[in-house]
């Protein structure tokens, strides 16, 4: 047939172009997707490993930890323990998808449909991404970050920069604003501001002023606790932001490094909240596109079978007692839910009408899905759209493990009428990052006294911090703060469970 | 829509991060390299490859929660109903939500390239600058033909290649041959018919124009010979490992000897492209053996050092012509030798072995912590010491601890360097 996109497994750039055009036609016309312009890049396995190691980004500042990850990935790749991802896609405009050169033509089609259209649509339309990320600015910002870090290394020494970055990385997961309220991230403006700040510092720097005697310091009393807290913006859960703004002895470039790490953490925040939805969307989209192309006769039966093989592997969900089990597979759960929504919209049963009165039998599959993709995150998506039929299909059950309970782990709910809502609520909760991450915030600073920084960890369900790690992170925190840092773990009744106090390590004399 | 081929981008973007990591993990990796090299054969030391390093020192801490009561939703319930209890350990328990997570963080394998491995290996041993300078000195640059290029100096024009290309181009573009034009001219001269003549003249004009358009030699055809400088390594070397394996040599002593040979091999390998190793073990008879037998094979009997030297001399005469080979020898022994053998050993050394050797090292190995070792000199030591005092180029040292191996190695080479410098003027 002349209409085939390709024959066999080989591809060239001309084939890729044809594939992309064909996918685009289905994606835009039949599915009504709305995507950023696409850019497709073919890379080697080594480059793929490389991208892996720097959180999937094409350009990134240099740091030993990426080298560590590279070595780790490389070793397990060589040993055959790990297959490489078929694709990496970047939330930027144009949306960049990396394809591996080793992939067959079928795999390239799958990847293009999956990444360049599925993920791309999700990035562009989901409210979290709209709120928190700046697809136009990210690549420029990463470029700026890379150069900035390099410049700092030249000026202040590699060890110094490494020390600051290590500390920032340790606090990265607590460098996020969880609730919008401030304005959306504008990375281009951010980059410009950073440049201006730097320039300003250089212009106004005058060594003379350092020697000018200071006036008598203000009396340190007076400021009330409430006022002090307010001035410092406390309580503050974004530890990196707090340090950047309030740590007394950081050099301006150190604050900029904290800001960079914080922006990058924030940039990835939506991805961690939408794993199930994001992969579900992309998988659903590639499945639709591939099926469509096959029906049109543009993909041969053999190649379509090859696709089905890979697809089935991707959406495979091992059961809990299977040695391969490691939690819910976001591809499997996400894809199943998208297909289930399609079923509810087109062929609802009575149960579905009862559970999903808004969408059951509405018949406009893509309309409903696009709306879902735009307005939910994993937690709310599962909480709203996980149907009894799917819970039965996966045979889900809810376990409650109380270490105090001698009899063992209790089965709290199963996939029956009594259990559906409880199972669904619990699964949704497990996909809520606000609930998964430790809830730690800065509550006070003893400014008048020894400047000790006080943090609270609000312990949920008796789950405290891992001690070794907590001490190490706090050490980093204290080094940045340059005074003592105390972390107090409190339960819901404000009862103190454990307390850490860490003093900063002396800074090597070279800095002064 | 853009499709871009990034495969040709300069690779190794991760190299710098990798180096940063290596720098940071240096002591860990060094420890691993040391450990790995102990388990390897001499030649394999240079292979590079995997080392396993603990991740602990490279751990990146995060606030992590653990313990407490836990809730989880799992797939695949086959038999449980609400209110059932699962056993915590054993099958069917889903307690470990992240199995292996802790384990995989414990250690990981790091693949080192050959150079990285040797660097770390030598670095740990603090190979003296002296030795590095020596290595640098022995590489000389040579010049070698390396094909043709389109630019270069006129002196390097390759006439034959240029003409060859010009010819190919002329044929491809159908430049008329000289003989063709001459033939046509002759035809015109002989022609009587006006019309035909005009036609032929026209044809001739065209051919002439064409031969003008297509030059005999075009700048495009010109090719220059290209030369490349290549490092020309100093030929080749052979290293003789001589060891007394009589019953008195303990595993510890053999280990010391092995380390010394290893260092010598790495050192020579850096210096020469091609290094052969000959293992000779001896009791009261000497034989050439492979590495396994050399270090691990059981043997016992009396001791006749001269037998080993004799065997070495035979092998040199048969296979390693001293004018083609740089010959190194290192002898390891606990120092026992038959009294009757002393004279013969001395003669063999001064007359046959030392004249063909670049370097002869004698390593007297002793038991760990053996203080008695220092009390009296062994028979072999006394003999060699006498030879050395009478001016023979011998290097000798005593070793009883692993940690001494490198300093001794260093020492031996340094001593040789100075004696050479003394000898030179």
């Amino acid at each position: 047939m002349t209409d085939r996109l390709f024959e066999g497994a080989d591809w060239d750039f001309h084939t890729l172009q044809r594939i992309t055009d064909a996918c685009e036609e289905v994606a835009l016309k039949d599915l009504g997707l709305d995507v950023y312009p696409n850019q497709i890049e073919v890379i080697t396995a080594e480059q793929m490993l490389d991208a892996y190691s720097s959180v999937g980004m094409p350009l990134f500042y240099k740091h030993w930890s990426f080298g560590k990850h590279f070595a780790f990935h490389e070793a397990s790749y060589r040993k055959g323990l790990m297959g490489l991802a078929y694709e990496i896609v970047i939330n930027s405009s144009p949306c960049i998808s990396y394809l591996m050169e080793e992939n067959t033509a079928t795999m390239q089609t799958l990847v293009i449909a999956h990444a360049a259209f599925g993920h791309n649509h999700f990035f562009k339309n989901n409210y979290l991404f709209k709120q928190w990320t700046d697809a136009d600015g990210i690549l420029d910002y990463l470029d700026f970050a890379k150069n900035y870090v390099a410049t700092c290394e030249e000026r202040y020494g590699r060890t110094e920069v490494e020390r600051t970055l290590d500390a920032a990385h340790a606090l990265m997961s607590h460098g996020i604003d969880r609730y919008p309220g401030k304005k959306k991230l504008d990375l281009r403006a951010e980059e410009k501001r950073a440049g201006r700040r730097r320039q300003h510092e250089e212009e106004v720097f005058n060594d003379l002023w350092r020697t000018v005697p200071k006036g008598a310091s203000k009396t340190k009393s007076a400021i009330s606790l409430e006022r002090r807290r307010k001035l410092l913006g406390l309580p503050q859960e974004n530890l990196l932001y707090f340090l950047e703004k309030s740590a007394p002895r950081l050099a301006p470039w150190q604050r900029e490094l904290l800001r960079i790490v914080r922006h990058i953490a924030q940039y990835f925040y939506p991805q961690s909240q939408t794993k199930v939805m994001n992969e579900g969307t992309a998988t659903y989209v590639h499945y639709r596109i591939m099926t469509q192309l096959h029906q049109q006769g543009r993909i041969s039966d053999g190649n379509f079978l090859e696709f089905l093989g890979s697809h089935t592997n991707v959406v495979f969900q091992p059961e809990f007692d299977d040695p391969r089990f490691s939690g819910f597979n976001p591809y499997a759960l996400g894809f199943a839910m998208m297909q289930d929504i399609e079923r509810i919209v087109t062929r609802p049963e009575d149960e579905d009408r009862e559970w999903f009165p808004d969408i059951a039998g509405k018949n406009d599959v893509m309309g409903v899905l696009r709306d879902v993709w735009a307005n939910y995150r994993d937690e709310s998506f599962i909480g709203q759209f996980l149907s009894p039929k799917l819970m039965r299909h996966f045979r889900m059950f809810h376990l409650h493990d109380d270490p105090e309970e001698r009899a063992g782990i209790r089965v709290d709910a199963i996939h029956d009428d009594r259990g559906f809502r409880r199972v669904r609520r619990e699964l949704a909760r497990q996909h809520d990052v606000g609930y998964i991450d430790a809830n730690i915030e800065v509550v006070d600073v003893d400014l008048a006294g020894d400047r000790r920084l006080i943090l609270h960890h609000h312990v949920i369900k008796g789950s405290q911090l891992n001690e070794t790690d907590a001490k190490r992170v706090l050490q980093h925190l204290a080094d940045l703060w340059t005074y003592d840092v105390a972390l107090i773990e409190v339960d819901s009744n404000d009862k103190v469970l454990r307390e850490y106090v860490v003093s900063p390590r002396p800074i090597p004399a070279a800095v002064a | 829509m853009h499709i871009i081929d990034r495969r040709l981008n300069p690779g190794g973007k991760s190299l710098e991060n990798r180096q940063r990591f290596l720098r940071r993990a240096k002591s860990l990796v060094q420890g691993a390299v040391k450990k790995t090299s102990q388990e390897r054969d001499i030649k394999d030391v240079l292979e590079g490859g995997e080392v396993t390093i603990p991740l602990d020192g490279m751990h990146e801490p995060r606030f992590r929660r653990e313990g407490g009561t836990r809730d989880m939703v799992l797939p695949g319930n086959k038999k449980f109903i609400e209110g059932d209890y699962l056993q915590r350990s054993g099958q069917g328990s889903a307690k470990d939500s992240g199995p292996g997570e802790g384990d995989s963080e414990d250690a990981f394998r790091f693949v080192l390239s050959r150079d990285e491995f040797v660097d770390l290996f030598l670095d740990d041993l603090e190979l003296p600058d002296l030795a590095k300078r020596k290595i640098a000195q022995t590489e000389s640059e040579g010049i070698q033909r390396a094909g043709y290029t389109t630019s270069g100096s006129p002196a390097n024009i390759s006439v034959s290649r240029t003409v060859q290309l010009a010819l190919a181009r002329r044929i491809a573009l159908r430049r008329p041959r000289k003989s063709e034009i001459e033939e046509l001219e002759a035809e015109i001269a002989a022609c009587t018919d006006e019309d035909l003549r005009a036609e032929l003249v026209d044809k001739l004009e065209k051919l002439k124009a064409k031969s003008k358009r297509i030059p005999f030699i075009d700048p495009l055809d010109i090719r220059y010979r290209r030369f490349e400088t290549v490092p020309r390594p100093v030929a080749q070397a052979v290293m003789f490992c001589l060891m007394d394996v009589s019953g008195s040599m303990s595993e510890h002593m053999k280990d010391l000897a092995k380390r010394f040979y290893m260092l010598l091999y790495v050192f020579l390998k850096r210096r020469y492209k091609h290094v052969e190793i000959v293992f000779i073990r001896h009791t009261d008879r000497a034989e050439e053996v492979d590495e396994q037998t050399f270090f691990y094979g059981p043997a016992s009997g009396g001791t006749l050092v001269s037998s080993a030297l004799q065997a070495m001399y035979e092998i040199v005469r048969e296979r390693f012509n001293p004018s083609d080979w740089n010959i190194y020898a290192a002898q390891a022994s606990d120092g026992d030798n038959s009294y009757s053998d002393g004279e013969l050993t001395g003669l063999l050394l001064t007359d046959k072995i030392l004249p063909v050797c670049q370097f002869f090292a004698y390593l007297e190995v002793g038991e760990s912590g053996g203080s008695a070792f220092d009390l009296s000199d062994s028979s072999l030591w006394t003999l060699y010491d006498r030879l050395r005092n009478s001016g023979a180029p011998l290097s000798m040292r005593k070793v009883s601890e692993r940690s001494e191996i490198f300093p001794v190695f260093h020492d031996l080479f340094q001593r040789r360097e100075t004696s050479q410098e003394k000898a030179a003027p």
Side-chain angles (χ1 to χ4, degrees), chain B residues 178-382:
Chain B
K178 207 176 168 191
S179 60
E180 273 179 69
I181 292 178
E182 277 168 359
E183 253 173 49
L184 204 58
E185 274 171 344
E187 223 176 298
I188 291 169
C191 188
T192 46
D193 183 352
E194 274 305 310
D195 283 351
L196 186 62
R197 188 191 173 83
E199 201 178 302
L200 286 176
V201 168
D202 189 39
K203 204 172 166 189
L204 180 67
E205 297 284 297
K206 271 187 189 152
L207 281 186
K208 279 187 172 166
K210 198 168 187 182
S211 66
K212 258 184 206 155
R213 272 205 313 278
I214 306 169
F216 188 77
I217 299 242
D218 191 275
L220 281 174
D221 304 329
I222 300 175
R223 288 295 179 276
Y224 301 85
R225 291 187 298 269
R226 202 171 93 80
F227 296 95
E228 221 173 40
T229 54
V230 284
R232 193 152 287 168
V234 172
Q236 46 198 354
V238 57
M239 162 178 147
F240 283 89
C241 306
L242 309 173
M243 186 158 68
D244 172 8
V245 290
S246 60
S248 53
M249 284 289 282
S250 66
E251 283 306 310
H252 173 72
M253 292 171 171
K254 288 182 186 174
D255 183 57
L256 290 178
K258 180 174 178 177
R259 279 158 205 273
F260 185 83
Y261 295 136
M262 226 172 211
L263 265 176
L264 185 60
Y265 179 70
V266 170
F267 183 75
L268 293 177
K269 193 72 190 174
R270 280 268 162 135
R271 210 172 163 191
Y272 301 102
K273 274 273 151 36
H274 187 67
V275 183
E276 288 266 336
I277 312 180
V278 177
F279 295 101
I280 299 174
R281 67 170 187 179
H282 74 91
T283 50
D284 50 0
R285 287 176 297 112
E287 52 179 339
E288 187 185 350
V289 292
D290 61 20
E291 185 175 344
Q292 279 300 313
T293 327
F294 188 72
F295 289 109
Y296 307 108
S300 73
T303 313
L304 281 178
V305 174
S306 60
S307 65
L309 296 175
Q310 185 63 40
M312 173 177 165
Y313 181 64
E314 298 294 326
I315 293 170
V316 168
R317 221 175 42 183
E318 271 169 41
R319 307 200 320 245
F320 303 101
N321 183 348
S323 59
D324 296 338
W325 292 82
N326 295 294
I327 298 169
Y328 294 80
Q331 184 187 4
S333 166
D334 58 355
D336 272 346
N337 196 17
S338 311
Y339 271 112
S340 58
D341 193 42
E343 196 178 340
L344 183 55
T345 307
L347 274 175
L348 273 171
L349 263 177
T350 40
D351 291 353
K352 296 190 164 158
I353 303 290
L354 291 176
V356 300
C357 272
Q358 301 276 4
F359 177 59
F360 190 99
Y362 170 63
L363 195 70
E364 191 156 304
V365 288
E367 274 311 342
S368 168
S371 50
F373 180 62
D374 289 326
L375 289 180
S376 63
D377 287 339
S378 68
S379 55
L380 213 52
W381 183 270
T382 323

Side-chain angles (χ1 to χ4, degrees), chain B residues 163-175:
Chain B
V163 170
Q164 199 181 336
L165 283 167
L167 184 64
R169 179 182 48 81
R170 293 198 309 263
I171 291 172
L173 295 175
R174 295 171 193 275
R175 186 184 200 263

Side-chain angles (χ1 to χ4, degrees), chain A residues 20 40-42 50 58 101 153 158 166 319 395 399 401-402 409 411 418 461 464 466 469, chain B residues 1-2 4 6-7 13 20 23-24 59 64 66 70-72 77-78 82-83 86 88:
Chain A
T20 319
I40 287 167
E41 307 194 355
V42 179
D50 205 26
E101 63 173 348
E153 283 179 344
R158 188 175 275 176
D166 282 354
E319 298 188 336
R395 309 180 77 85
L399 292 177
D401 181 6
D402 183 351
I409 305 168
V411 178
R418 273 168 53 81
K461 295 201 294 190
Q464 287 176 243
N466 171 291
D469 259 20
Chain B
M1 159 68 55
H2 295 288
I4 300 173
R6 287 267 183 237
R7 286 173 298 180
K13 239 170 55 172
R20 279 166 192 245
R23 225 177 354 250
R24 194 172 160 115
H59 178 65
R64 286 187 291 131
E66 60 183 16
R70 302 196 302 168
D71 287 281
M72 53 212 138
N77 174 20
K78 281 157 224 98
E82 193 181 327
L86 280 73
R88 280 222 169 71

Side-chain angles (χ1 to χ4, degrees), chain B residues 78-146:
Chain B
K78 281 157 224 98
K79 55 183 183 193
F80 303 120
I81 57 163
E82 193 181 327
D84 277 359
Y85 280 94
L86 280 73
Q87 289 304 308
R88 280 222 169 71
S89 54
Q91 274 268 306
S93 143
K95 195 163 188 293
D96 285 319
S97 59
E101 209 169 285
D103 295 338
S104 61
E105 280 284 297
D106 278 351
F108 81 93
R109 292 174 186 284
F110 195 87
V111 182
L112 291 173
S113 73
R114 227 177 113 117
D115 282 347
E116 281 170 339
F117 193 92
V118 174
D119 274 347
L120 286 162
F121 181 74
L122 292 179
D123 210 32
D124 179 42
L125 295 161
E126 287 160 7
L127 192 71
D129 284 343
L130 156 82
K132 282 177 186 158
R133 199 171 62 234
K134 271 180 142 183
I135 294 167
Q137 279 170 356
T138 49
E139 289 257 316
S140 68
E141 297 261 290
I143 285 179
Q144 174 179 301
R145 292 283 295 267

Side-chain angles (χ1 to χ4, degrees), chain A residues 72-86:
Chain A
F72 183 66
H73 289 314
E74 192 193 30
S76 40
Y77 177 56
R78 280 198 197 183
K79 292 218 130 187
L81 294 178
M82 177 185 85
L84 283 179
Y86 298 119

Side-chain angles (χ1 to χ4, degrees), chain A residues 209-224:
Chain A
W209 298 112
R210 284 200 313 156
T211 59
V212 171
K214 285 175 190 141
S217 56
K218 280 180 194 162
T219 46
K220 53 190 176 179
S221 63
I223 313 176
S224 74

